[in-house]
Amino acid sequence: MNKLFGVVSLAILSFVFLGNALKSVVTSTVFVSEGEFASFLNISVDKTQILVELLIGSSVMALAVAPFLLTRQRAHKIASISALVAAGCYAALGLTMTVGPALFVRELMVIITFALGGFFISFFAPIAQLAINDVENERERVFLTTVWTSAQPVAFLITPQLVKYVALDIGTGNYFLIFAIFPLFYLFLTRTVLKTPYAPSTGGETLSSEKIDWQTIGFIIITIAAFEAWTLSNSLSGVISATSLSFMGAFFVIALIAGFYLKKKRQEEILKNGNIETVKKGLPPTATFLLIGLFILEVPSTGFFDGAYLIRHLCAPSLIEDRASLGAASQIAAVALGGALFVRWPRLMPLLLLSGILLLLIGSLGFIRYPDLPVDASFFYTSKMVAQAGMGVVTTVIVGVVMAECRGNPVMALLPALVIMFGTEFGLEILEIVYQGAKLYGLQEVEAYRVIFYAQVIAILIALIPCIEGLYLKHKQVRRTAHEQN
């Protein structure tokens, strides 16, 4: 019996971990293999950023539509489609890189496989979140949330070693062919882990199997696609080019129309279902403010521009790689420690959250000093580790609280994955605009990076406002519950 329990526990842990790790493995592989992709596509290394934007953009699109598609009843079907398509995409990418066809075929296959593969593999994270949300024991939920949260930094820590010691030995094409097996393995775990929680039930509350709202999904996809077109144009043409300004205008018009549509639809639902039903389906206020804070904190924690500064100023590749690895290791340790403390003493939540933000702030303040320093490996390592540790604690606490607050509505519990991914992309793009704006103002490259680092600190300070409001609402909720029990 104990052996059977151990096997089931291992399957659950693998399912939760892989759910949030696989897409990060692909993104990290592109970061580490920029030179090979540039050579394969006959482009400059700087242009490989487009591949990362393609991956992140497709992930954001998937996570944005997941709450409208993913229910307990449809979880198996979506998992099957996602795993099979993702596996097919990465197998096709591996074959393309192995065979090496004509250049236009390579370009077409890379665009298709990265867009489709990134889209479908991103459904694994919210599916894992649904599984976590169905766990009755609160400590087990927090533990699994910690595993889910740690998966991304673990992927960023392990993947460079896989690329260095595996992909370089067997070839990147064969590396992706092997990777194509993992979505299928995740599908097997889905069939094993989700069999009972997602079986139709005649008793208890289950999500309705209503028809899919394709109109709302269409508005969301078009809005995100317009945003991606604008940000891609910023990278290729500059923020003040006619093309970029046209895409920017189109995005704001489309976003405005989509906003009016969603607001009107919400009002219609209120009139149709009544206030009680609406409140039941909505996002709790505490979770709302904490997710806003998490979204803003993702802006300064992308890790792209502080690393890019060191690369452009000719720091040794080994220093940059070690710094990234130590930062990821620090984040993993912070996630594990924060999750353990949260499980043992839930009342420490406010202290953990504020401590994490403080660590992130201290590390980010260290980035501001980079332009004033010669190569100082110990300072570069320490600032990165402190910032990553702070973000690890913050993410663990906020995701845990939000999933607990949304226990009555599993669809709303899918939002942390979207907030994390979209916040990361928004951070990359807004800081890119800050950088280009500083250069247009006449600042030299070093000072332009300093402006970015100041912007990151300002973002952290702004994020304190919704986080403190969320903590205050949580405190009021606890006091009200205690008063009602007495």
Side-chain angles (χ1 to χ4, degrees), residues 272-324:
K272 179 180 178 181
N273 300 321
N275 290 330
I276 296 178
E277 186 70 16
T278 302
V279 172
K280 184 179 178 181
K281 289 187 176 182
L283 186 64
T286 299
T288 300
F289 281 100
L290 290 181
L291 283 176
I292 291 172
L294 180 61
F295 177 84
I296 299 173
L297 289 172
E298 289 295 332
V299 172
S301 64
T302 61
F304 178 79
F305 288 96
D306 49 285
Y309 174 83
L310 298 181
I311 292 173
R312 294 198 177 195
H313 289 77
L314 304 179
C315 290
S318 58
L319 184 152
I320 296 169
E321 291 172 1
D322 291 342
R323 178 177 178 273

Side-chain angles (χ1 to χ4, degrees), residues 205-223:
E205 182 181 355
T206 60
L207 291 178
S208 173
S209 297
E210 298 174 353
K211 65 179 182 178
I212 298 173
D213 186 358
W214 290 113
Q215 192 171 9
T216 299
I217 292 174
F219 271 102
I220 293 173
I221 290 177
I222 292 172
T223 303

Side-chain angles (χ1 to χ4, degrees), residues 28 30-35 45-49 52 302-324 370-371 373-376 380-381 384 428 435 445-446 449 453:
S28 183
V30 177
F31 274 126
V32 179
S33 306
E34 286 179 327
V45 174
D46 289 343
K47 297 301 182 184
T48 58
Q49 180 186 350
V52 177
T302 61
F304 178 79
F305 288 96
D306 49 285
Y309 174 83
L310 298 181
I311 292 173
R312 294 198 177 195
H313 289 77
L314 304 179
C315 290
S318 58
L319 184 152
I320 296 169
E321 291 172 1
D322 291 342
R323 178 177 178 273
Y370 282 13
L373 296 173
V375 176
D376 187 343
F380 294 158
Y381 294 157
K384 182 69 171 178
L428 287 171
Y435 174 75
E445 185 178 57
V446 171
Y449 271 102
F453 299 148

Side-chain angles (χ1 to χ4, degrees), residues 18-20 22 79 82-83 86 120-129 183 186:
L18 291 177
N20 203 32
L22 290 181
S82 299
F120 283 100
I121 205 170
S122 297
F123 278 100
F124 292 179
I127 290 173
Q129 283 183 314
Y186 188 81

Side-chain angles (χ1 to χ4, degrees), residues 242-256:
T243 304
S244 296
L245 293 176
S246 299
F247 277 122
M248 181 183 70
F251 163 69
F252 282 112
V253 170
I254 292 172
L256 187 63

